[in-house]
């Protein structure tokens, strides 16, 4: 659409906002008495993971690989630092 052309509504509805009312400003929304709370799965980390033995093995191997990689980088850096200090000491 160019800036010179007038806007034409094509009639498509992107989001139906008919059922949404204004948010209460002075009083927070409360559940009606007698209505049980609606359970939701908003904390999946608190549930037991249903992993197979093979998935557990690959997860442990991935953690070990990352740990060894990080430890190797630190040891290489320490080796370079000690080599530089040794060469400067001479």
């Amino acid at each position: 659409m160019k800036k010179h052309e007038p806007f034409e509504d094509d009639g498509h509805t992107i989001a139906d906002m008919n059922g949404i009312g204004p948010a209460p400003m002075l009083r927070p929304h409360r559940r009606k008495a007698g209505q049980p709370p609606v359970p939701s799965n908003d904390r999946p980390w608190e549930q037991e993971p249903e992993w197979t033995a093979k998935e557990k093995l690959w997860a442990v191997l991935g953690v070990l690989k990352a740990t060894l990689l990080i430890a190797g980088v630190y040891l290489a850096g320490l080796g370079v630092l000690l080599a530089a200090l040794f060469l400067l000491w001479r």
Side-chain angles (χ1 to χ4, degrees):
M1 182 167 82
K2 296 181 182 178
K3 290 185 179 182
H4 307 301
E5 296 177 7
F7 175 72
E8 292 184 29
D9 187 13
D10 60 358
H12 288 99
T13 302
I14 296 174
D16 186 16
M17 305 294 268
N18 287 337
I20 298 176
M25 299 286 275
L26 301 176
R27 294 183 300 135
H29 176 71
R30 293 196 174 113
R31 253 188 348 262
K32 294 179 182 176
Q35 264 187 332
V38 178
S40 64
N41 188 12
D42 60 346
R43 294 183 169 191
W45 59 87
E46 290 182 351
Q47 298 174 356
E48 285 293 322
E50 298 173 3
W51 288 1
T52 63
K54 191 173 186 178
E55 290 173 334
K56 289 179 186 178
L57 172 70
W58 284 110
V60 169
L61 289 176
V63 169
L64 284 175
K65 184 169 77 170
T67 304
L68 291 174
L69 178 66
I70 292 170
V73 168
Y74 275 107
L75 288 176
L78 181 64
V80 168
L81 180 67
L82 290 176
L85 287 175
F86 180 73
L87 290 175
L88 289 175
W89 188 269
R90 281 177 133 186

